[in-house]
Amino acid sequence: MFLEWVAQVTGLLHSPDTNILNTVFPISVQRTIVSNVVTYFMGSEQNGINISLLLPTQAHVFWVMECIGQGFRLPLIDHNLITQCIDLYTKWIQSPPERQPAWIRSNLDAYYVLCLKHLSLLFSNRTKVREDIQTHVTLSLRALNTFSIVTKLKLHPETWEVMLKLLLGMTDSLLCTNNFEEESCGDLIADRLLQVLYDAWLTSGNTNVDLWNSFFKLHKNWSTHLAVITQWAAACSALTRSVLARLYTPNPPTVVHIWVSATITSVIDINDDYVFYVWQRFLHLLGNVVYIPSPNNYRVAMSGICICIEDFLQIIQNCTPGAPDGNTILNIFAGPLFEAVIKNRPGYEEGTSFAIEGLCKIFFNCKRSIFAPKYLAGFIRAAKAALATGDAKNMTLISLLLHSQNLIPTEITGFKILIPYYVHAISRILKQNPSTFRCGMPVETVRRACLNILCHIMCYACKYQKTPFPADSSLEGDSVVETFYDLEHHIGLMLLTALDNEISSSNLKCLLSQSLAFILEFLPTSESTKFSIVAPQAGPQVAPLFVWSLLHLILKNLGASKWPSDVSCCALSTLCEIVVKYQYIERADQYAQQLVSQLSQLVRSLLDDPSSSEHVVAESYRCIATWAMVNDSKWLFANLRTLSSMVEVAVLGIPSLNKAAPKKKESPMITDAAISTLLCCGNQLGAFPSPAGSERMSAHVTEEMLLSRICETSNIPLEESNQLVRYFMMDDNIIISLIDIPSLSSDGVLVSTMITRDRTAKYVWQGHISYATTNAASSGYKKQPDLPEKLVPRTSEWKQKSLSATSEQYQQLTSFLERLDCKEEAVPEIPEIISRDQAELEAKSYGLLGKTWAEPPPTFEVTQQSQFRAGRVLAAHLGFVQSQHVVVPLDNSPALIKSIKQLDQQPERECMAIGVVYAKTGQFMEEDIYANVRLPEDYQKFVSSLGWDIQVATHNGFLGDLDRRALTGATAPYYANFSTEVIFHVSSKMPNHQQNQHKKRLIGKDYVLIVWSEDGNYDPCCLESVFHDVKIVISPLPSGLYRVSTIVNPKIVIPGPFVEDVTVSHFSLGPLVRSLSITAHRAAQTLYDGASAKPYFLRQRILCNITKAYKKADLPRNVHFSSFFHQIPTGSKTRESLSPVPATRKPHPLSSSTNSLPIIPAASSTTTSTPLIGSPPSPLSSQLHHSSSFTPGSSGITSAPSFTTSPHDPHPITSHNTVFIPLTPPAPTTAAPLPPMSPAPTPPTSTAPAPPTTTAPSPPSSSSSSTSASSSATTHSFTRGVPTPTFPAIPSTSPPPTAQNQNSASLSNNSTTTGTNTAASSFGRIRSVTPGQIPPQSSNNNNRMSTSAWTFHRSPNSKRT
């Protein structure tokens, strides 16, 4: 009695006159009757007999259909007969009208109703046998197909109601709770059954309230079936999309596409009015979804609601006019979502997680909406309930953390109350071991969400400081969080804890980046706010301790090789970035010393490990150099052990300097990094920035400039000016040019300028030598007196004082060399030196066998008078003449000058140009953004914090194509350190022109763009004319904080610390954005240009090309000597290189005329510098071969000359294979204007040298220079001078004296007086070499020798040509 039950359930009218066969005949008779009738009509259909002739009257139709309908009641064993009944009805329904009986044609709806009633008889629960269930499923699906055919026909509303009632009864019969069985037919056909039901309901257009109420009542009972929830969610989503399309799109489709699965889809045509009606009805079919009994069904239902919410949010994100706001969405969906999260039923966490996800999406995407207080309160309450969950694995908590990452920066009203709850919840997760933590979501993703939230909440501690939190913000089992200050301790501890136990590479790099942001945010920025790390209070004391803890943690993991190479590089880059906070770090000198020392040990171990990463080693070198340069390197000079370790490790990375050492890890990347570190030690320590400022690395003085001034102030013709300059190549990578200044040379004074160029920069010194003649004759060689048979060391008062005075410094030098482990090889004991020299003299019998004088060395005759005088004397004193295979002349030709100019045009540091634009609220057009000029004060302060403003017209550093004529602005922010130059192309600082093409041209080619978005809704595609690889978007927040987010080209891999999304205060905004910009620019430049585009690579390449093209290698010895002093043919014009004259290489003919000064093959008795620990060629001021002279008839050797340097001098003088490292820090000085250069005065003399000292060098007094009665010395003093020399009006043409002096060299700090013979330990290691022949001086032992002294003025790094 199925139809009677359906009538009772749905109100369907049922006629008692039907079902006659079932009540009169037994089942066998029924089977026979049905079989005969069905077989007959099926045969008639096959034979093409028109059934309208067989059923002429209504009685015929009713009787036949009563027989066929009885077939649907037969047992399932007669499934073949039942199948024939279904097929017969289907054919009759689909048959054309002319083949239908007359009564059916006139009463189609009644015929359809009768057919559907008979088909519905199949859907009663008949059996529980598995085989019969499958048969029942097959028959039911066949009948549902017939129902689906009928739904596509045009039916009367009453017919629709009958069919809907039948479908409701059929569905309830199979899916109601009371009849539910795990293996029932209803469970197997539920998908298809519900599809037919939903299609019929949506197609019918039914608005019968009673029928809808019946549907609503029955539908809730079916919620135990997952198919019901799935079908409902799909229908709601489809209806929501259709409603929104009809409301907010101009030409919406009229069909609703319901997609349940790949096999269950429906396309239904619904009119506008009914789609709104049915959408509202369908949303409430399940009632309150919070009470769905099955956790899985509950999850699907909440997921369906979230899908509908996303459809609404898509309209908002598309900025559709008239789009609904957040209150509208919450009014539709908020009820069950709030209740679900607040209840948070155990076992239903997965479904609740969808509820909190939907709420987070609404509040984040509708941030422009002014939410009603009831919704704000409901959300805060729901979020608090989720965060208060004690279980770190709770899916509700995990979902809130995952989907509220971007919600905190929106700063919705009242959200700050949740900050302590967030801190406690995140702490519980980050304390977990990620290798064992399981929470239903990828652990890496969950921990990353926690870190992203920390990025946004940590700045609130600085912003609100002592503002209290609610009383219940401290949860049970956690420490107290009473004020915002308390957050700093928790966040710092969480970062360190997570960094220690994290295993994900991406999360580790995120932690390192956030640690840097934490330091920039919390480390005190003035001495008044600097606290001790031992203070017991919480709050501002945490950051100084955090800096130390971070260092220990990074060094520990690097030493243990716990991190992958990319993470290790990021950690080292983070340490490099901390340098900007050096002055605010507690015990900063000790911090730097520990960092450099341990990194040096790390590099040493990595070089011994063939499997180590070359990127880590190279980055370690960069970190060491960065920290060595901090604070003018004062801390490094106070830690000599660290300095020696640093140099040692740098040398270990250069294979050419370790040929005798065991096999090390070799790599071009490592070698370049090691050389750069070593050059940094030799060139920059204690001297950056120079007095000219950080914008200059190279001096601006050039040979062309000097020669031009010489021609203007002297009687030398322009075509002969090339006689005053010589070029040399040292060790194939250092170019040295010596230039005579005849207009400054006077009687007894020679002036020369030395310019050195290497891969790092160009350096200029100007020096003069003064000859003070005594009683002795000033010309010719005099016969020397007889010498004793045995040369005994002198014990004069001067010698005793000298040895005594140097003993303390000598001990310090030997102590330093012992740490370098090469004392015996490099510096013999002084007695050993004396004994060795005495034995050598005895072996050569210089005056010991009765001969009282020595023959002068032979000279080479030249054919022309050379004007290159001061330079050749300086070259001889510096040892260039003797070092034939180290210092090689270059072909002085216009082509060489052109190549040198090309080298000078190459930058010495990484040069970066970064664009900055301002986007006002609602600006999405490129022209509008570029046209912004008058902007808020906070933006202007930010721009100022990126660097310091420079005047474009007079700036000497990198300009990034800015126009000096102010066409692109008069000023621009600029930043520079010892390795990087950054210019910021600020659009608002550039004047507006038509279409602003100049702004597009400059900013458009920058790799990195900084965008200040006034409303935070910047569209990355609004600057359509260019594509920047990295965009850094700054969005001001209502609280006065700033959100910094990044948009990165997927091709760019940023190895350094790079925070993708963070909220910061104005204190750290500028430094953080600048750091992000530099890191991003370096990564983008590496991607497109490669590592070979680095400035030092380009400069080195040019140096190599110059060496190959112009080096005069393998010259005979006499030709080598002559190349220093010969006369260059007048046809070779150096200045021609400045005009478009073809570059030609001129031969160097040997001259035969007698020179005014004889050519000395070697210095008299020289003391040359040896490698400190074996170092590469350095951008030295010169290669010094220092003379320690003696004279026949004297009994001793002068003490070793010393090297000292000016406090302003960043480039110590080194030998061709030596980098001399200062062992004492330079005295702190302030950059003062340098006086103009004037003709060098004659240095004063005294009877004794100043005693050596081991403290920081200071300018010596005029009495510090000395001359011995028994020896002569040439003293070189290198100090800073002015950029360009001042020439006198009347040049002096007096030639220098012809007397040759035995020379010794030293460096001094005084720009006007000569240097002192201070201890050799001031700069480096000294050893003696075999003295050469000494020309006889005078036969009178009492006559004093001529005294000469070189004074060098170092040109500051001023303007760039």
Side-chain angles (χ1 to χ4, degrees):
M1 305 298 291
F2 177 75
L3 290 178
E4 289 79 0
W5 180 81
V6 171
Q8 183 181 359
V9 171
T10 63
L12 176 66
L13 296 179
H14 176 62
S15 173
D17 297 332
T18 59
N19 199 22
I20 298 175
L21 292 180
N22 187 41
T23 58
V24 177
F25 301 104
I27 190 65
S28 58
V29 176
Q30 297 176 27
R31 181 182 297 113
T32 302
I33 296 174
V34 171
S35 176
N36 291 331
V37 172
V38 170
T39 302
Y40 174 75
F41 281 99
M42 288 292 292
S44 301
E45 287 288 336
Q46 294 176 0
N47 295 328
I49 300 175
N50 192 343
I51 62 171
S52 60
L53 302 177
L54 302 177
L55 303 172
T57 64
Q58 177 182 357
H60 288 84
V61 173
F62 278 9
W63 185 86
V64 170
M65 294 190 68
E66 177 72 15
C67 294
I68 298 174
Q70 194 60 39
F72 295 105
R73 296 177 181 272
L74 295 175
L76 294 177
I77 194 174
D78 299 317
H79 59 87
N80 291 330
L81 183 56
I82 298 174
T83 301
Q84 290 180 343
C85 295
I86 298 172
D87 292 343
L88 184 59
Y89 269 1
T90 303
K91 289 181 179 181
W92 285 359
I93 292 174
Q94 292 179 314
S95 60
E98 61 273 11
R99 294 184 59 83
Q100 294 177 347
W103 181 85
I104 293 179
R105 285 197 303 269
S106 59
N107 297 276
L108 279 175
D109 287 284
Y111 169 69
Y112 294 151
V113 167
L114 192 57
C115 289
L116 295 177
K117 285 183 178 180
H118 290 168
L119 289 170
S120 67
L121 297 176
L122 279 174
F123 293 91
S124 60
N125 281 315
R126 301 194 177 196
T127 180
K128 296 182 180 180
V129 179
R130 183 178 300 274
E131 292 76 7
D132 292 342
I133 290 176
Q134 190 58 45
T135 302
H136 193 188
V137 168
T138 303
L139 295 174
S140 298
L141 292 175
R142 204 176 191 94
L144 288 174
N145 290 337
T146 305
F147 270 89
S148 180
I149 293 172
V150 176
T151 59
K152 294 178 175 57
L153 302 177
K154 186 176 181 180
L155 304 177
H156 190 273
E158 294 182 358
T159 305
W160 278 114
E161 288 190 10
V162 172
M163 184 168 65
L164 293 177
K165 290 178 180 181
L166 287 173
L167 288 172
L168 285 177
M170 294 157 49
T171 307
D172 189 66
S173 173
L174 296 176
L175 302 182
C176 67
T177 305
N178 296 333
N179 296 333
F180 174 73
E181 293 292 343
E182 183 178 357
E183 295 294 336
S184 67
C185 174
D187 207 28
L188 297 176
I189 68 169
D191 292 334
R192 178 60 175 161
L193 178 60
L194 291 167
Q195 180 189 14
V196 174
L197 173 62
Y198 279 32
D199 290 355
W201 210 282
L202 295 175
T203 307
S204 67
N206 175 60
T207 58
N208 188 325
V209 176
D210 293 334
L211 190 57
W212 272 103
N213 290 337
S214 299
F215 189 22
F216 178 78
K217 179 180 178 181
L218 295 174
H219 198 278
K220 290 193 300 182
N221 296 334
W222 307 335
S223 59
T224 54
H225 292 268
L226 179 61
V228 175
I229 309 299
T230 303
Q231 187 74 37
W232 171 82
C236 289
S237 176
L239 291 171
T240 302
R241 288 193 300 271
S242 179
V243 167
L244 295 174
R246 296 169 197 249
L247 287 174
Y248 302 110
T249 57
N251 297 309
T254 60
V255 296
V256 176
H257 187 186
I258 302 177
W259 189 91
V260 180
S261 66
T263 58
I264 302 177
T265 58
S266 301
V267 179
I268 306 169
D269 193 353
I270 309 177
N271 60 59
D272 292 347
D273 293 335
Y274 190 66
V275 76
F276 296 118
Y277 177 84
V278 76
W279 172 67
Q280 191 272 341
R281 286 284 192 174
F282 261 70
L283 287 179
H284 299 87
L285 273 181
L286 289 179
N288 191 345
V289 296
V290 177
Y291 298 100
I292 293 178
S294 170
N296 195 28
N297 295 359
Y298 177 73
R299 174 187 62 81
V300 175
M302 286 297 179
S303 174
I305 294 177
C306 285
I307 294 174
C308 296
I309 292 173
E310 290 176 357
D311 294 333
F312 271 90
L313 297 178
Q314 187 64 41
I315 299 296
I316 297 176
Q317 292 171 2
N318 294 338
C319 301
T320 306
D325 64 357
N327 291 309
T328 301
I329 303 175
L330 290 171
N331 188 42
I332 299 172
F333 301 104
L337 299 182
F338 284 149
E339 186 177 359
V341 178
I342 294 173
K343 285 184 176 298
N344 197 11
R345 293 190 294 168
Y348 290 77
E349 292 86 356
E350 193 171 356
T352 308
S353 67
F354 282 103
I356 196 65
E357 175 186 348
L359 290 172
C360 290
K361 289 181 177 180
I362 294 173
F363 280 89
F364 171 70
N365 291 279
C366 303
K367 47 193 171 186
R368 294 186 179 181
S369 301
I370 302 176
F371 290 99
K374 64 177 182 179
Y375 296 135
L376 290 172
F379 179 67
I380 298 299
R381 183 184 176 190
K384 179 181 175 181
L387 292 170
T389 304
D391 184 9
K393 302 179 181 180
N394 189 284
M395 283 299 299
T396 305
L397 171 62
I398 299 299
S399 179
L400 176 62
L401 296 175
L402 289 174
H403 297 98
S404 63
Q405 301 177 56
N406 300 318
L407 184 60
I408 294 178
T410 61
E411 293 190 338
I412 63 175
T413 304
F415 199 82
K416 300 179 186 65
I417 298 175
L418 299 174
I419 289 180
Y421 298 97
Y422 268 106
V423 172
H424 288 307
I426 293 172
S427 177
R428 289 195 296 272
I429 292 177
L430 293 183
K431 288 179 181 178
Q432 302 288 333
N433 187 342
S435 60
T436 59
F437 182 66
R438 298 291 182 271
C439 60
M441 293 290 292
V443 179
E444 177 182 351
T445 304
V446 175
R447 293 175 68 87
R448 183 59 176 269
C450 295
L451 299 179
N452 292 341
I453 293 174
L454 281 182
C455 276
H456 294 298
I457 66 178
M458 65 182 181
C459 61
Y460 285 90
C462 287
K463 176 65 178 178
Y464 296 102
Q465 300 182 356
K466 296 183 179 181
T467 303
F469 283 119
D472 62 341
S473 60
S474 298
L475 304 179
E476 182 179 355
D478 290 322
S479 54
V480 178
V481 178
E482 296 180 350
T483 66
F484 279 92
Y485 256 155
D486 297 332
L487 293 177
E488 182 184 354
H489 169 74
H490 286 268
I491 295 173
L493 183 60
M494 280 190 289
L495 288 175
L496 292 174
T497 302
L499 194 60
D500 192 35
N501 60 22
E502 184 60 64
I503 58 177
S504 168
S505 296
S506 61
N507 286 354
L508 281 169
K509 290 190 282 189
C510 179
L511 279 166
L512 291 167
S513 303
Q514 292 181 18
S515 299
L516 174 61
F518 181 87
I519 292 172
L520 295 177
E521 185 70 37
F522 288 102
L523 200 63
T525 56
S526 65
E527 292 296 329
S528 60
T529 59
K530 195 172 183 179
F531 295 87
S532 172
I533 64 174
V534 298
Q537 298 84 5
Q541 296 79 24
V542 175
L545 181 60
F546 179 87
V547 176
W548 276 92
S549 301
L550 179 65
L551 173 64
H552 294 155
L553 188 58
I554 290 177
L555 292 177
K556 181 188 74 172
N557 286 280
L558 290 177
S561 300
K562 181 179 177 181
W563 288 340
S565 60
D566 58 335
V567 177
S568 299
C569 290
C570 183
L572 292 167
S573 299
T574 303
L575 293 178
C576 291
E577 298 295 335
I578 298 176
V579 166
V580 299
K581 288 288 187 177
Y582 174 84
Q583 57 183 326
Y584 307 118
I585 298 176
E586 285 284 346
R587 297 171 289 162
D589 290 351
Q590 183 180 346
Y591 186 93
Q593 186 271 335
Q594 183 172 346
L595 186 150
V596 173
S597 297
Q598 296 198 25
L599 281 184
S600 298
Q601 297 177 10
L602 173 67
V603 172
R604 190 187 300 272
S605 62
L606 291 176
L607 289 175
D608 292 332
D609 183 8
S611 63
S612 61
S613 171
E614 61 180 7
H615 295 278
V616 176
V617 178
E619 193 65 27
S620 299
Y621 276 124
R622 187 175 80 91
C623 188
I624 290 173
T626 301
W627 278 92
M629 290 295 301
V630 73
N631 195 28
D632 296 334
S633 307
K634 296 176 183 177
W635 72 269
L636 188 58
F637 293 117
N639 296 272
L640 301 184
R641 187 182 298 274
T642 304
L643 174 59
S644 63
S645 176
M646 172 183 170
V647 177
E648 233 181 299
V649 168
V651 173
L652 288 176
I654 307 172
S656 60
L657 301 179
N658 296 278
K659 294 180 179 179
K663 185 70 174 179
K664 303 288 184 180
K665 182 180 180 63
E666 296 185 12
S667 165
M669 180 183 296
I670 295 176
T671 302
D672 290 329
I675 292 176
S676 298
T677 303
L678 200 57
L679 293 178
C680 176
C681 296
N683 298 345
Q684 305 294 341
L685 285 184
F688 182 86
S690 67
S694 58
E695 63 190 38
R696 292 292 307 166
M697 292 292 286
S698 291
H700 80 291
V701 178
T702 64
E703 293 85 355
E704 174 202 358
M705 181 187 304
L706 292 176
L707 295 178
S708 177
R709 294 295 301 276
I710 289 171
C711 293
E712 294 173 2
T713 58
S714 66
N715 297 328
I716 300 177
L718 179 64
E719 60 271 10
E720 296 183 4
S721 62
N722 63 329
Q723 304 295 334
L724 303 177
V725 62
R726 299 291 189 275
Y727 295 93
F728 307 95
M729 176 65 73
M730 176 181 289
D731 273 346
D732 295 342
N733 57 16
I734 301 174
I735 297 176
I736 302 174
S737 60
L738 298 177
I739 307 163
D740 270 19
I741 312 293
S743 57
L744 296 182
S745 299
S746 60
D747 192 11
V749 177
L750 293 177
V751 180
S752 180
T753 297
M754 178 170 61
I755 303 177
T756 64
R757 296 174 174 87
D758 77 326
R759 62 187 284 178
T760 62
K762 176 180 65 176
Y763 317 106
V764 179
W765 285 266
Q766 193 167 91
H768 56 265
I769 183 170
S770 302
Y771 291 90
T773 58
T774 61
N775 300 337
S778 60
S779 62
Y781 291 106
K782 300 302 178 72
K783 183 178 179 180
Q784 298 297 325
D786 294 337
L787 296 177
E789 294 185 359
K790 184 174 182 181
L791 187 62
V792 181
R794 293 177 58 90
T795 57
S796 64
E797 179 183 356
W798 182 88
K799 186 63 180 179
Q800 292 173 355
K801 289 184 178 180
S802 177
L803 292 176
S804 175
T806 61
S807 60
E808 181 180 354
Q809 274 200 330
Y810 180 77
Q811 292 298 328
Q812 291 190 3
L813 174 62
T814 55
S815 175
F816 172 71
L817 295 176
E818 286 175 357
R819 293 198 298 272
L820 298 182
D821 210 12
C822 50
K823 170 189 169 189
E824 287 76 8
E825 298 180 5
V827 181
E829 299 289 342
I830 290 180
E832 295 179 8
I833 297 175
I834 297 174
S835 300
R836 185 179 62 187
D837 291 346
Q838 178 178 321
E840 187 172 356
L841 291 174
E842 291 176 352
K844 294 186 178 180
S845 302
Y846 286 165
L848 300 180
L849 299 178
K851 190 174 182 179
T852 58
W853 67 86
E855 297 294 335
T859 61
F860 299 100
E861 299 294 332
V862 294
T863 59
Q864 298 178 2
Q865 178 72 19
S866 174
Q867 299 181 20
F868 185 65
R869 300 172 182 174
R872 74 187 186 195
V873 176
L874 175 59
H877 290 172
L878 297 181
F880 292 173
V881 180
Q882 185 180 7
S883 305
Q884 178 177 357
H885 301 290
V886 178
V887 180
V888 180
L890 295 177
D891 191 358
N892 193 351
S893 65
L896 172 64
I897 308 304
K898 185 175 181 180
S899 298
I900 291 178
K901 288 184 63 178
Q902 181 186 4
L903 176 64
D904 290 343
Q905 292 171 358
Q906 290 297 327
E908 307 90 356
R909 297 172 285 184
E910 287 187 89
C911 296
M912 305 178 180
I914 297 171
V916 183
V917 298
Y918 187 97
K920 292 183 178 180
T921 301
Q923 284 187 340
F924 298 101
M925 299 299 294
E926 185 177 55
E927 292 75 12
D928 297 336
I929 294 176
Y930 281 132
N932 292 328
V933 176
R934 296 180 180 178
L935 300 173
E937 182 180 359
D938 56 346
Y939 168 75
Q940 297 178 11
K941 289 182 178 180
F942 160 72
V943 171
S944 300
S945 67
L946 292 174
W948 50 89
D949 270 357
I950 53 97
Q951 296 293 327
V952 175
T954 59
H955 181 59
N956 298 318
F958 176 64
L959 279 176
D961 293 337
L962 291 178
D963 193 284
R964 293 189 182 274
R965 297 169 297 175
L967 297 179
T968 55
T971 63
Y974 172 82
Y975 174 82
N977 56 28
F978 79 100
S979 62
T980 307
E981 283 186 275
V982 185
I983 193 75
F984 293 90
H985 293 151
V986 183
S987 174
S988 59
K989 285 182 171 288
M990 302 179 188
N992 286 331
H993 300 310
Q994 186 177 5
Q995 296 182 351
N996 286 322
Q997 291 297 327
H998 60 300
K999 297 184 180 183
K1000 297 179 182 179
R1001 175 180 57 85
L1002 290 173
I1003 299 177
K1005 63 183 179 182
D1006 295 338
Y1007 291 128
V1008 180
L1009 178 67
I1010 301 173
V1011 181
W1012 184 288
S1013 178
E1014 195 172 72
D1015 58 356
N1017 294 316
Y1018 171 74
D1019 183 4
C1021 301
C1022 63
L1023 299 179
E1024 66 274 4
S1025 64
V1026 295
F1027 176 77
H1028 299 89
D1029 292 280
V1030 179
K1031 295 183 179 68
I1032 302 175
V1033 183
I1034 303 170
S1035 306
L1037 300 178
S1039 63
L1041 300 174
Y1042 302 90
R1043 182 181 184 182
V1044 181
S1045 55
T1046 57
I1047 305 169
V1048 183
N1049 182 354
K1051 297 180 180 179
I1052 303 294
V1053 178
I1054 301 179
F1058 192 79
V1059 186
E1060 296 179 356
D1061 196 0
V1062 63
T1063 302
V1064 297
S1065 63
H1066 68 278
F1067 297 107
S1068 58
L1069 178 62
L1072 178 65
V1073 172
R1074 182 177 63 236
S1075 173
L1076 295 178
S1077 303
I1078 294 174
T1079 302
H1081 189 284
R1082 187 175 289 120
Q1085 192 173 38
T1086 302
L1087 173 66
Y1088 294 112
D1089 301 335
S1092 60
K1094 300 289 185 182
Y1096 48 84
F1097 283 124
L1098 297 177
R1099 292 180 65 88
Q1100 186 65 43
R1101 192 178 305 157
I1102 297 176
L1103 286 169
C1104 293
N1105 293 337
I1106 293 175
T1107 300
K1108 295 177 182 178
Y1110 308 108
K1111 178 179 177 181
K1112 296 180 179 180
D1114 301 326
L1115 294 176
R1117 187 170 179 82
N1118 61 332
V1119 178
H1120 170 75
F1121 291 156
S1122 179
S1123 64
F1124 283 83
F1125 311 114
H1126 67 80
Q1127 183 82 355
I1128 299 177
T1130 57
S1132 177
K1133 297 181 180 181
T1134 303
R1135 300 188 66 187
E1136 288 182 359
S1137 62
L1138 306 179
S1139 59
V1141 178
T1144 58
R1145 300 185 60 181
K1146 302 288 184 180
H1148 289 259
L1150 298 177
S1151 302
S1152 58
S1153 62
T1154 304
N1155 215 330
S1156 59
L1157 289 177
I1159 299 175
I1160 304 174
S1164 301
S1165 176
T1166 59
T1167 302
T1168 60
S1169 53
T1170 59
L1172 185 62
I1173 47 175
S1175 54
S1178 168
L1180 71 176
S1181 57
S1182 63
Q1183 177 193 357
L1184 300 181
H1185 289 252
H1186 310 285
S1187 303
S1188 295
S1189 64
F1190 67 92
T1191 57
S1194 65
S1195 59
I1197 300 175
T1198 59
S1199 60
S1202 66
F1203 299 86
T1204 59
T1205 184
S1206 166
H1208 299 293
D1209 193 350
H1211 307 289
I1213 308 304
T1214 63
S1215 73
H1216 69 279
N1217 59 352
T1218 306
V1219 178
F1220 286 95
I1221 307 302
L1223 302 186
T1224 55
T1229 60
T1230 57
L1234 299 172
M1237 180 178 288
S1238 58
T1242 302
T1245 59
S1246 62
T1247 57
T1253 176
T1254 58
T1255 59
S1258 59
S1261 62
S1262 59
S1263 62
S1264 60
S1265 62
S1266 62
T1267 306
S1268 173
S1270 59
S1271 63
S1272 63
T1274 300
T1275 308
H1276 304 268
S1277 176
F1278 289 76
T1279 59
R1280 289 185 182 275
V1282 292
T1284 55
T1286 302
F1287 296 93
I1290 302 176
S1292 172
T1293 58
S1294 302
T1298 57
Q1300 296 303 305
N1301 299 299
Q1302 305 163 33
N1303 304 303
S1304 63
S1306 67
L1307 298 177
S1308 172
N1309 301 327
N1310 199 325
S1311 61
T1312 59
T1313 62
T1314 59
T1316 62
N1317 286 330
T1318 53
S1321 61
S1322 298
F1323 239 92
R1325 184 175 314 163
I1326 308 299
R1327 66 176 176 87
S1328 63
V1329 296
T1330 304
Q1333 293 181 340
I1334 303 172
Q1337 299 291 331
S1338 175
S1339 59
N1340 186 356
N1341 289 339
N1342 296 325
N1343 289 343
R1344 300 182 61 185
M1345 301 297 298
S1346 298
T1347 303
S1348 62
W1350 277 99
T1351 301
F1352 282 84
H1353 301 267
R1354 175 137 185 247
S1355 174
N1357 301 336
S1358 53
K1359 293 183 180 179
R1360 179 178 297 177
T1361 57

